[in-house]
Amino acid sequence: MADTSPRTDTSTDPDIEMDERNQMFEQGQLAAPTASDSSDKSKDKLDHKSLRRLAQNREAARKSRLRKKAYVQNLESSRLKLTKLEQELQRARQQGIFISSSGDQAHPSSGNGAMAFDMEYARWLEEHNKHINELRAAINAHAGDDDLRSIVDSIMAHYDDFFRLKGVAAKADVFHVLSGMWQTPAERCFMWLGGFKSSELLKLLGGQLEPLTEQQLTGVCNLQQSSQQAEDALSQGMEALQQSLAETLASGSLCPAGSSGNVANYMGQMAMAMGKLGTLENFLRQADNLRLQTLQQLQRILTTRQSARALLAISDYFSRLRALSSLWHARPRE
């Protein structure tokens, strides 16, 4: 025998079901749970408060349906915009104006790369201070040249490690390295292309290295001059890059917002700008190579003991800059 019992559709919209129940209740079609109580006939009539509550429920359900409808329409609109943008990107790739970076896979998150470099730099600086303390103790103890040379070589190798770390970090986030956010504010005031200026550092060392022979003095002056020339060339290259980048971003034609021509033009501009920004890493690498080569060349000009004093002077200078930043942060504020 077929089952003729009514079945409930569990997929019914709860807002619609609430409206139906409210209407049935108003019309007296919804049975009371305790029908056996025939003496309480006043329950068959709805008072004004109940009617008002039912009206509020219907209005809430109506507003809920409107919100759902608007939400669905918004999702559909966003999906259409995304599809259109993907199509424009695909056409841009086919036209050869979209440049992808193969390094993105190796460095999926620039934020993680910057954080990793900050941690590596902190460890490097701690180890560097240990080397400097060892060198200072050796000088104060009047250690022989062989012992000093061993420590000096260790410090120079440690500098080489630092520039290697910067190169890796630049591939992940060149802006973070160039901005110097991994250094203290006072150090950043004297920063040039992500680090110190070799020519300025040589000027600061002038009084620390005396007495110098005539040959040494000539060598230091030539090194300072060549460093200055290389720095000027890199600075001019950076200025040219900034000017070219600004012109690229400002050269787009004016099209109605949302038009396909505007999207294609925008993506073309971004592709060209990304290509130019890729040279930033090259500028940083050249600047770091200049810094390291200047330190290495200075070691060849000076004696072992002079090299040791020069490394101490360099370390003390940057240490005082870091101390100055700490004092500035801790200053009394009115």
Side-chain angles (χ1 to χ4, degrees), residues 19-237:
D19 279 354
E20 292 175 351
R21 291 173 61 88
N22 290 337
Q23 292 172 5
M24 293 172 63
F25 192 69
E26 286 182 86
Q27 298 168 4
Q29 296 177 357
L30 186 62
T34 56
S36 59
D37 188 5
S38 58
S39 61
D40 192 7
K41 295 181 180 181
S42 61
K43 292 183 180 179
D44 294 337
K45 297 181 180 180
L46 298 174
D47 56 15
H48 178 70
K49 185 176 180 180
S50 298
L51 290 173
R52 185 174 56 186
R53 185 181 300 112
L54 291 172
Q56 291 174 349
N57 290 342
R58 283 199 303 273
E59 180 65 16
R62 186 184 68 82
K63 290 182 178 179
S64 178
R65 287 195 298 272
L66 291 176
R67 285 195 299 269
K68 289 179 181 178
K69 183 178 180 181
Y71 177 71
V72 172
Q73 290 176 343
N74 186 43
L75 285 179
E76 181 64 17
S77 177
S78 299
R79 185 187 67 81
L80 292 175
K81 289 180 181 179
L82 180 59
T83 301
K84 184 177 180 180
L85 181 58
E86 288 175 346
Q87 291 172 352
E88 294 292 341
L89 287 173
Q90 184 63 28
R91 281 196 291 268
R93 291 189 182 99
Q94 291 173 355
Q95 294 172 5
I97 63 174
F98 184 82
I99 301 175
S100 62
S101 174
S102 58
D104 289 344
Q105 295 179 355
H107 305 281
S109 172
S110 61
N112 291 340
M115 185 181 299
F117 173 67
D118 291 352
M119 295 174 61
E120 289 291 341
Y121 173 68
R123 284 193 287 266
W124 180 90
L125 187 59
E126 181 180 359
E127 188 68 22
H128 177 74
N129 289 333
K130 292 180 181 179
H131 287 304
I132 291 298
N133 290 336
E134 182 183 4
L135 180 61
R136 196 186 310 275
I139 291 178
N140 292 336
H142 304 287
D145 286 354
D146 290 342
D147 292 335
L148 288 178
R149 173 52 58 186
S150 177
I151 302 175
V152 167
D153 289 344
S154 296
I155 293 175
M156 290 302 299
H158 201 52
Y159 271 117
D160 188 70
D161 290 340
F162 170 62
F163 290 118
R164 179 184 55 80
L165 288 174
K166 284 182 68 178
V168 174
K171 293 181 182 298
D173 189 348
V174 66
F175 291 108
H176 180 74
V177 180
L178 280 173
S179 68
M181 296 306 295
W182 41 280
Q183 290 191 317
T184 61
E187 289 175 291
R188 290 199 297 272
C189 285
F190 300 93
M191 177 170 283
W192 169 80
L193 278 179
F196 59 84
K197 263 192 173 183
S198 301
S199 60
E200 296 296 329
L201 200 62
L202 291 173
K203 291 179 183 178
L204 295 174
L205 290 176
Q208 305 288 333
L209 304 178
E210 296 176 353
L212 294 175
T213 66
E214 184 176 349
Q215 183 178 1
Q216 286 178 322
L217 185 60
T218 300
V220 172
C221 289
N222 289 338
L223 181 59
Q224 181 179 339
Q225 184 177 3
S226 62
S227 297
Q228 182 69 62
Q229 292 173 349
E231 290 164 358
D232 290 343
L234 287 173
S235 295
Q236 292 173 6

Side-chain angles (χ1 to χ4, degrees), residues 185-316:
E187 289 175 291
R188 290 199 297 272
C189 285
F190 300 93
M191 177 170 283
W192 169 80
L193 278 179
F196 59 84
K197 263 192 173 183
S198 301
S199 60
E200 296 296 329
L201 200 62
L202 291 173
K203 291 179 183 178
L204 295 174
L205 290 176
Q208 305 288 333
L209 304 178
E210 296 176 353
L212 294 175
T213 66
E214 184 176 349
Q215 183 178 1
Q216 286 178 322
L217 185 60
T218 300
V220 172
C221 289
N222 289 338
L223 181 59
Q224 181 179 339
Q225 184 177 3
S226 62
S227 297
Q228 182 69 62
Q229 292 173 349
E231 290 164 358
D232 290 343
L234 287 173
S235 295
Q236 292 173 6
M238 278 293 294
E239 291 177 3
L241 172 62
Q242 292 171 349
Q243 181 66 28
S244 176
L245 186 60
E247 292 174 354
T248 298
L249 296 176
S251 63
S253 58
L254 296 178
C255 297
S259 66
S260 58
N262 187 55
V263 173
N265 179 67
Y266 175 81
M267 293 309 301
Q269 283 181 307
M270 291 300 103
M272 293 177 63
M274 287 290 291
K276 293 179 180 182
L277 280 180
T279 60
L280 280 177
E281 185 182 336
N282 184 48
F283 276 107
L284 177 61
R285 182 171 61 252
Q286 291 185 62
D288 278 346
N289 286 340
L290 175 61
R291 285 183 269 263
L292 181 59
Q293 290 171 7
T294 300
L295 290 175
Q296 292 172 341
Q297 185 64 26
L298 184 63
Q299 302 303 309
R300 299 186 185 100
I301 296 174
L302 303 177
T303 65
T304 298
R305 198 164 294 274
Q306 287 172 334
S307 295
R309 294 211 315 268
L311 290 175
L312 282 182
I314 293 172
S315 178
D316 288 346

